[in-house]
Amino acid sequence: MAEKDEYLKERKIPTPNEDSKYLLEVGGLCPLCGKKLLGEKNSETVKLYQIAHIYPNSPLDIEKEILKDVERLGNDSESFENKIALCKECHGIYDYHKTREEYLRILNIKKDLLKSYETKTMLSNQVIEDDISDVINALVNIKGDVIELEINALKISKKIDNTNLLLKHKVEMYVSQYFLFIQAQFKALNSQGKMNFDVVASQIKTAFLQAEKKTNDKKDIFNHLTKWLQSKTHNSTIEACEAIVSFFVQDCEVFREIAE
Ligand SMILES: [Zn+2]
C-alpha cells in the first residue's frame, strides 16, 4: 500500500475574503489567458473565475505519476500558496489531462505573484518625502521643450545590460529628456529649504535595496519602485514616476554598476 501523502488535506472552500485575496493577487485578470475575471450582467457583477488548486487536492493515480517529485507550495494542498484564481475555461483545461509542463508553468506564475506581493507589501512601509510630489507635478504639467542631457553623459549602460534592452532604452529616453529638468526642480526645492535632496535620495536608495532583496529582475525592481512612488504621491502619473526612478538610476541610487 502507498504511503499517505500528508500534503493532501480535505478540500476547503475559500471564504469571500480569501476569494477576494486571490482575485486581487492576479489583478482581476486570468494569469494564463489575460481575460477579465469579473463580468457584468444587468448591472450586476458576475464571477467568471474559480479558485484552482495548483497541486490537485485529490490527484488521480496518473496525476501522482506525472507530478512525481515536483516542488509544491504551502504547507498543504489547502494553503493559500497552492491555489490561484483562473478563468473557468483555463481552470477546466488545466484540470483535464494535466501535464507536468502546465503544472510547472502555473507553479512559477504563482511563485512570481507571491514574490511580487511581498515586495509590494514591504515597499508600502517605505516612506518618501511628500514634497517629491512637487517635482512629479512639474513633470506631469511640463510644456514645451526641455534641455536634453548629452548621450555620452548617460550612465545607464553601466547599470542595465542588453539582456534588458527595452528597459534600458526606456530609462535612457527618460534620462536624456528629463534628467536636467528634474535636477533643476530638486535644486530649486532644496535651495528654498522645502526639501532635503539627500533625504529623498536615501529614501529611494532604501526602497531600491528592499526591492533588490526580493528580486534580481531589474524590470521587476523598476516597476515596483515606480508603482510605489505613484502610490505615495498625489496627482502623479506612471510616466512621471518612471521618469523620477530613471533619474535616480542615472544619479546612482537605483541599480548597481555591472562588473566589467
Ligand atoms: Zn484564462
Side-chain angles (χ1 to χ4, degrees):
M1 208 184 121
E3 233 176 274
K4 187 166 186 290
D5 185 344
E6 290 298 334
Y7 184 77
L8 303 176
K9 294 277 185 261
E10 201 183 321
R11 183 179 293 265
K12 241 176 37 198
I13 308 294
T15 64
N17 278 345
E18 284 167 346
D19 205 88
S20 337
K21 207 173 156 196
Y22 288 108
L23 187 64
L24 207 63
E25 182 183 47
V26 295
L29 302 175
C30 175
L32 290 182
C33 72
K35 268 192 242 154
K36 284 201 301 185
L37 296 181
L38 289 177
E40 225 176 287
K41 191 179 174 184
N42 305 332
S43 56
E44 270 185 65
T45 306
V46 188
K47 195 175 148 179
L48 304 173
Y49 64 98
Q50 290 164 340
I51 308 300
H53 283 89
I54 300 173
Y55 191 91
N57 164 277
S58 353
L60 306 167
D61 285 342
I62 176 91
E63 288 178 323
K64 285 184 196 159
E65 192 52 39
I66 288 166
L67 302 178
K68 211 172 139 192
D69 302 329
V70 290
E71 179 186 358
R72 301 192 287 197
L73 299 175
N75 293 329
D76 59 64
S77 65
E78 299 316 294
S79 305
F80 176 80
E81 289 82 356
N82 187 45
K83 294 182 195 175
I84 188 165
L86 298 179
C87 78
K88 291 178 183 174
E89 207 180 327
C90 287
H91 189 191
I93 293 170
Y94 179 57
D95 278 356
Y96 182 75
H97 291 185
K98 197 176 271 71
T99 68
R100 197 176 166 95
E101 287 68 37
E102 283 174 324
Y103 174 82
L104 293 174
R105 182 173 168 223
I106 296 193
L107 179 89
N108 284 320
I109 290 174
K110 180 73 183 191
K111 280 166 85 173
D112 284 346
L113 290 169
L114 289 166
K115 204 166 63 180
S116 173
Y117 181 76
E118 278 175 34
T119 314
K120 232 187 294 181
T121 316
M122 197 169 60
L123 280 181
S124 70
N125 297 320
Q126 171 61 29
V127 293
I128 182 83
E129 296 295 283
D130 249 355
D131 301 303
I132 200 169
S133 291
D134 290 353
V135 180
I136 290 174
N137 289 338
L139 269 172
V140 171
N141 297 312
I142 200 165
K143 287 185 184 72
D145 292 330
V146 288
I147 304 166
E148 290 183 29
L149 188 67
E150 282 181 39
I151 286 294
N152 60 16
L154 292 183
K155 295 177 185 164
I156 315 306
S157 58
K158 288 190 181 148
K159 310 274 175 61
I160 307 170
D161 64 18
N162 288 343
T163 57
N164 271 310
L165 210 53
L166 289 180
L167 176 67
K168 183 175 156 187
H169 287 158
K170 178 158 84 172
V171 174
E172 278 176 351
M173 184 281 289
Y174 277 124
V175 170
S176 66
Q177 295 293 311
Y178 303 114
F179 183 84
L180 294 175
F181 178 82
I182 295 171
Q183 190 181 45
Q185 304 296 316
F186 277 131
K187 272 190 182 155
L189 286 168
N190 208 39
S191 64
Q192 292 158 15
K194 286 187 182 164
M195 170 196 276
N196 184 336
F197 178 75
D198 292 337
V199 171
V200 173
S202 76
Q203 289 167 333
I204 299 275
K205 174 129 202 169
T206 307
F208 161 67
L209 292 173
Q210 291 193 325
E212 197 195 31
K213 266 194 252 167
K214 293 286 172 194
T215 174
N216 288 321
D217 186 327
K218 295 196 167 164
K219 195 162 41 45
D220 284 349
I221 294 178
F222 187 85
N223 291 338
H224 275 299
L225 291 177
T226 304
K227 285 185 187 147
W228 161 71
L229 201 53
Q230 195 183 17
S231 73
K232 295 285 176 190
T233 50
H234 329 286
N235 306 323
S236 56
T237 64
I238 204 80
E239 291 80 11
C241 294
E242 284 181 339
I244 300 276
V245 175
S246 301
F247 172 89
F248 285 104
V249 174
Q250 170 77 8
D251 207 49
C252 297
E253 280 78 15
V254 175
F255 298 149
R256 299 167 193 283
E257 283 204 13
I258 301 157
E260 299 281 320

